[in-house]
Amino acid sequence: MSKKTFSDVSDLDDEVQDPWCDPENPRKIRFEDITAAAYRIRDGIIRTTCPTSHMNQEVGMQMYFKNDFLQATGSFKERGARYTLINLPIEQKRVGVVAASAGNHAQALAYHGRDLGIPVTVVMPIVAPIMKVEKCKRYGATVIVKGVDLGESRSYALRLAKQRGMIYINGYDHPDILAGQGTMGLEILDQVPDL
């Protein structure tokens, strides 16, 4: 029996559902989930500043800007990516993960996957910025450019996950992604007075 390649995934006819995106079974994120995430990612994420805006007087309000562009990949998406990867079972860390993304989620998974020694495959639509595609490759991810939009990339990634025994990491609805992203809010609460 010949080994299947990534291109064979298109042969799968059945539509695969994303378990993290089920309106009949919404996932709840508790405050405790976010504080646990903050503790577990603390050594791999930059605690970014949150200064006041120089435009406050002009606009007549107090504005603060959380500078998560200072993360290694330039996005807050690293928080959820790292937490999700850290929480994988040992066997899943060996097999790896797959995601569909046009950029920031893909880069975050690729960067932290490399750091944690977890194989990452990202399926990116043909409209993904070439700079982000190339960065994912440089971070060590297997990059598959497939789909005219993110929806098509997602369908392909879900089928690939099923075929290869990988976990599909949804960049918006996975509970560990959400808990990790929530750590930015904890920092803001600590950094902005009287919030």
Side-chain angles (χ1 to χ4, degrees), residues 24-170:
E24 301 301 318
N25 184 26
R27 308 297 171 122
K28 294 181 182 172
I29 308 302
R30 299 169 302 139
F31 181 74
E32 294 82 11
D33 299 323
I34 298 168
T35 57
Y39 180 78
R40 298 215 48 213
I41 67 173
R42 72 192 182 286
D43 293 332
I45 298 294
I46 299 168
R47 182 180 170 90
T48 58
T49 58
C50 190
T52 59
S53 171
H54 67 280
M55 300 183 308
N56 284 350
Q57 194 170 23
E58 296 169 26
V59 297
M61 67 175 71
Q62 283 294 108
M63 293 189 300
Y64 296 82
F65 293 103
K66 185 68 170 146
N67 292 327
D68 256 32
F69 65 87
L70 296 172
Q71 299 295 347
T73 65
S75 171
F76 74 97
K77 294 280 192 169
E78 285 189 42
R79 296 167 178 274
R82 186 168 187 89
Y83 186 56
T84 302
L85 292 171
I86 286 172
N87 277 345
L88 291 172
I90 292 171
E91 177 59 21
Q92 199 61 57
K93 288 179 180 179
R94 186 189 65 71
V95 173
V97 300
V98 64
S101 168
N104 290 340
H105 178 57
Q107 288 182 142
L109 281 173
Y111 179 84
H112 288 283
R114 180 185 67 188
D115 186 50
L116 298 167
I118 299 169
V120 172
T121 299
V122 291
V123 181
M124 304 179 85
I126 59 172
V127 295
I130 192 69
M131 175 186 77
K132 294 189 180 208
V133 171
E134 292 303 315
K135 279 192 174 180
C136 289
K137 289 177 183 177
R138 273 185 261 138
Y139 294 145
T142 298
V143 177
I144 301 168
V145 177
K146 185 116 177 136
V148 297
D149 57 28
L150 193 55
E152 285 187 11
S153 298
R154 180 177 166 270
S155 292
Y156 185 85
L158 283 163
R159 291 192 310 273
L160 181 63
K162 181 179 178 181
Q163 181 190 41
R164 298 288 173 146
M166 295 185 283
I167 295 242
Y168 174 75
I169 306 295
N170 183 310

